[in-house]
Each structure stands twice: as C-alpha cells, then as structure tokens.
C-alpha cells in the first residue's frame, strides 16, 4: 500500500492532516507563545508518579555521560554511549543496575560498525539492531555482542522500532518530500507514506527539534515544523498536536551571522509525547523551562523554571529530588527520565557515578 498524505494549513500555527479514506480532523493546539516563561504551577509529586530508579553500575566498560536509551523490556534497559573512540552498547538489569553486557564493535572488519546513527532493541527478538548510515547497513548482535547478520539499508536516513518491524525516513536532501517507509523485521519495505512536508537541510525557520520518538510498541511520534504527528504500525499518519510559537517562532534568516545575532529572541523547543500528555522544554532568557500540557485539550498542567545547572523535571525519590530529562516511553505508558551523572554523583557523594534513570507515570 502506498498512502499519499496531504498536510493542509488551517492557520499560521495550526495544521491538519488528511489522507485518502481517512478524511480530515481537528487537532489540539498547544499555545507555547502564551506560556513562554509561565509562572511555576502544579505539583511535580502529584503529576509525575515515580515508580522506580535505576542506577547502572559504574565500571571501566560502562562509564557514561549522557547515553541514549535504546529499549526496555521490563527487566532490561538498553543503553548506547557514543564517544570519539567508538560506540558502546550496554544492557543493564533494570531492577539491580547490574551490567549484563557491554561491548563496542567499532571497526572496519566483518560484522563491525563505523558510525552508529541509530541503535535499538529489536522488537521481534530483543537483540541489538545498529544502523550505520555511512556504509548503509544494519548490523544485528546478540545481547552479549555476538554478530548475527547484516541488512543493506540504502533508503533510510534513520530508523525506529515499530510493531514487529521498523519505521524509516528517506534520505535528507534539500526541498524534497519527506517519505516514511515501514519495514519488516528483515528491513524489507512493506509500505510507504509520502508527505508534502519538505526536508530542511539547514535549521532555518524551524523552531522544533525534529526527531522520531518510539511510543510503546505500535506507534512512533514525528515532530516536524511545529506539529506532532503519530505514525502507527498500520494505517495513516495523523497530525495530533500543533504548537503555536507566535513571535517566538524562528524566522528564516538571511545568513548564519544574522541567525547567531538574533536567535536569542526566539525559542528552539523539544517535545516528548505520551498517551495523555505532551512534555516540552526549552531555554529562554538564560532559564530552562519545563512544561507539561494535556494532550486532550492543550491545557498547561505543570510548569517549572530552572537554572541551567539543574536541568530537567524535578522528580522526588524517597525524599530526594532529582532532575530528569524525558528520554523513553515504555510500552506500559510510563516514561524513563535521564538524570545526569553529575547530579547522581552529587546526591550519592561518589564521584564515580553513571547517569540514573527514573521511571515515572504522568497523571493528569
């Protein structure tokens, strides 16, 4: 099936999506412009119910600063740490923090990767899937790091797990339509979605951080051009939330020098979606703002202002407040927040500390 999607502008700040057979539907607007620098509101302990904290063991082979969360299956947490030396892939026991496996296959030999763009827990097997965009291959490894096989992948810019397979987006090229591909577990194309959104080679005029966000098992969120879309394992893409930036939206600058001089007047924001909430954070006037909006009606339900030294949402664990950045949405709807290693070290009094991970549930 080849589904063509048309995205029509309802206003300068509101978009709706339509496709053959699905019609158009209104989407919720989150008014960021009205809430830039909003006063603190709500209670973190009431709106973010902490369920557990994961403290990965600190060893010579598991030292991390800000790793990517690559998957979770209830008992295990998959993490990727990149550095100039290579890319380390690790699996930890989510209950004890014990390291189950740690390996780095950086190299030029058979079964080795050069530059890792994406790495995830494979949804169908629990093994590792590593996308090396430079050689246009996906390498698969066991949890212990044994090479299993590789797949050619020439069509995709990045991948994300979706259903029992994968979702990919087409290669970046200026001003061509954005296309999504659904792949099976062996990275064969089973479906495609063509949008009229255009790739931006530069960031000019773009206020949101563009990314694919896995959302449980059968959904991926795509945040682009101040609109949040959902892409299911089957069916059409859907525009769910529009963000109104108003005068804070990044304009199309005439030069990089102008952008550097003027960009402080605007915001670049990051949005993270759950089943019932949209989590937003951004910097403005040397402060960091973290806000939570109801996905159903766009209402601001929680806001907190922080300094750059305490970046993240405040999360209380056994009477101690940590600051976590939303990083991964579990299949049960809970969110894993990443706590920086510096804060974990300060709280524990031990300089040799890895980042921590707090599992919490957003309740609105």
């Amino acid at each position: 099936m080849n589904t063509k999607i048309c995205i029509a502008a309802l206003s300068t700040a509101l978009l709706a999506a339509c496709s053959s057979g699905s019609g158009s539907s209104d989407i919720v607007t989150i008014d960021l412009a009205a809430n830039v620098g909003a006063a603190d509101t709500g209670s973190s302990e009431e709106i973010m119910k902490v369920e557990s904290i994961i403290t990965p063991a600190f060893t010579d082979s598991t030292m991390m600063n800000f790793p990517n969360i690559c998957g979770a299956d209830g008992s295990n947490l998959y993490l990727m740490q990149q550095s100039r030396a290579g890319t380390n892939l690790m699996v930890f026991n989510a209950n004890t923090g014990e390291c189950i496996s740690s390996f780095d296959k950086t190299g030029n030999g058979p079964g080795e990767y050069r530059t890792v763009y994406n790495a995830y827990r494979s949804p169908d097997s629990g093994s590792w899937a590593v996308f090396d965009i430079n050689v246009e291959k996906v390498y698969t490894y066991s949890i212990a790091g044994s090479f299993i096989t590789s797949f050619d992948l020439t069509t995709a810019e990045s991948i994300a797990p979706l259903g029992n397979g994968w979702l990919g987006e087409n290669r970046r090229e200026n001003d061509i339509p954005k296309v999504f591909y659904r792949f099976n577990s062996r990275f064969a194309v089973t479906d495609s979605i063509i949008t009229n959104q255009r790739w931006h080679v530069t960031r000019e005029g773009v206020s949101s951080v563009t990314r694919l966000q896995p959302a449980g098992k059968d959904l991926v969120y795509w945040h682009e051009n101040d609109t949040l879309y959902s892409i299911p394992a089957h069916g059409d893409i859907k525009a769910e939330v529009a963000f109104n930036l108003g005068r804070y939206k990044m304009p199309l600058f005439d030069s990089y020098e102008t952008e550097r001089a003027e960009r402080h007047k605007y915001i670049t924001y990051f949005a993270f979606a759950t089943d019932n909430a949209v989590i937003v954070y951004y910097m403005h006037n040397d402060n960091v703002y973290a806000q939570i909006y109801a996905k159903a009606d766009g209402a601001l339900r929680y806001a907190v202002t922080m300094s750059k030294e305490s970046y993240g949402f405040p999360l209380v664990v056994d009477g101690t407040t940590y600051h976590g950045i939303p990083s991964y949405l579990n299949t049960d709807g809970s969110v894993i927040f990443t706590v920086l290693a510096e804060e974990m070290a300060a709280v524990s009094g031990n300089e040799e500390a890895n980042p921590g991970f707090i599992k919490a549930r957003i309740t609105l």
Side-chain angles (χ1 to χ4, degrees):
M1 179 179 68
N2 191 0
T3 306
K4 292 188 176 182
I5 307 299
C6 66
I7 315 277
L10 298 181
S11 68
T12 57
L14 180 62
L15 299 177
C18 62
S19 65
S20 58
S22 66
S24 61
S25 61
D26 293 337
I27 61 176
V28 172
T29 300
I30 289 178
D31 195 349
L32 287 182
N35 293 304
V36 169
D40 291 0
T41 184
S43 166
S44 63
E45 291 186 76
E46 291 180 0
I47 205 166
M48 291 176 284
K49 301 291 187 181
V50 171
E51 297 184 353
S52 62
I53 183 169
I54 306 168
T55 54
F58 183 95
T59 68
D60 289 343
S61 64
T62 63
M63 290 184 291
M64 297 175 280
N65 46 44
F66 193 87
N68 291 334
I69 300 178
C70 304
D73 58 13
S75 58
N76 294 332
L77 180 66
Y78 293 64
L79 301 175
M80 174 178 71
Q81 177 62 60
Q82 294 182 299
S83 68
R84 292 182 179 180
T87 299
N88 199 29
L89 302 175
M90 297 161 282
V91 179
F92 292 88
N93 184 297
N95 298 312
T96 66
E98 176 187 4
C99 178
I100 295 172
S101 173
S102 175
F103 65 90
D104 184 350
K105 296 292 185 179
T106 302
N108 296 310
E112 295 179 332
Y113 46 75
R114 299 179 190 175
T115 304
V116 178
Y117 195 77
N118 294 117
Y120 285 107
R121 173 190 178 275
S122 296
D124 65 323
S125 64
S127 59
W128 280 101
V130 178
F131 180 35
D132 187 334
I133 194 172
N134 285 344
V135 297
E136 300 181 328
K137 288 182 180 294
V138 175
Y139 297 97
T140 61
Y141 303 91
S142 69
I143 288 180
S146 298
F147 174 68
I148 300 173
T149 190
S150 65
F151 303 97
D152 293 331
L153 188 60
T154 60
T155 56
E157 171 87 1
S158 64
I159 59 172
L162 181 63
N164 290 322
W166 300 89
L167 181 74
E169 51 187 339
N170 62 327
R171 291 301 184 95
R172 187 181 300 266
E173 186 176 336
N174 199 29
D175 205 35
I176 65 170
K178 190 69 173 287
V179 180
F180 294 101
Y181 302 101
R182 293 186 181 102
F183 301 98
N184 64 17
S185 61
R186 299 185 64 81
F187 290 93
V189 176
T190 61
D191 192 9
S192 63
I193 301 172
I194 303 172
T195 81
N196 72 348
Q197 295 290 331
R198 300 283 171 171
W199 264 115
H200 300 282
V201 173
T202 65
R203 292 194 57 265
E204 293 175 333
V206 180
S207 299
S208 62
V209 178
T210 301
R211 67 193 294 268
L212 294 177
Q213 178 207 326
K217 178 176 173 57
D218 294 318
L219 197 70
V220 169
Y221 288 116
W222 172 47
H223 187 196
E224 168 72 12
N225 197 25
D226 299 328
T227 304
L228 180 71
Y229 303 87
S230 61
I231 306 173
H234 305 282
D236 293 332
I237 190 172
K238 178 184 177 183
E240 295 207 8
V241 175
F243 299 88
N244 177 28
L245 273 292
R247 65 187 179 92
Y248 298 101
K249 181 175 175 62
M250 196 85 69
L252 185 64
F253 294 104
D254 58 5
S255 68
Y256 177 67
E257 290 72 20
T258 304
E259 178 179 351
R260 289 190 62 184
E262 297 291 322
R263 64 175 300 154
H264 68 280
K265 300 176 183 178
Y266 312 97
I267 64 169
T268 300
Y269 66 99
F270 172 87
F272 183 96
T274 71
D275 293 340
N276 62 345
V278 179
I279 304 172
V280 177
Y281 54 94
Y282 56 89
M283 290 184 61
H284 186 64
N285 289 336
D286 292 326
N287 286 321
V288 178
Y289 295 93
Q291 298 171 343
I292 298 179
Y293 294 83
K295 198 173 174 185
D297 58 9
L300 177 64
R301 300 292 297 274
Y302 177 78
V304 62
T305 306
M306 302 160 290
S307 67
K308 288 183 286 188
E309 288 71 31
S310 59
Y311 187 44
F313 286 81
L315 299 157
V316 180
V317 182
D318 296 331
T320 299
T321 299
Y322 299 84
H323 294 87
I325 301 167
S327 304
Y328 187 81
L329 183 64
N330 286 306
T331 55
D332 63 3
S334 62
V335 179
I336 298 179
F337 292 79
T338 301
V339 182
L340 298 182
E342 292 81 357
E343 183 163 1
M344 294 298 296
V347 170
S348 66
N350 183 357
E351 293 183 359
E352 295 184 340
N354 270 326
F357 301 91
I358 295 176
K359 179 182 176 182
R361 197 169 298 276
I362 307 299
T363 57
L364 297 180

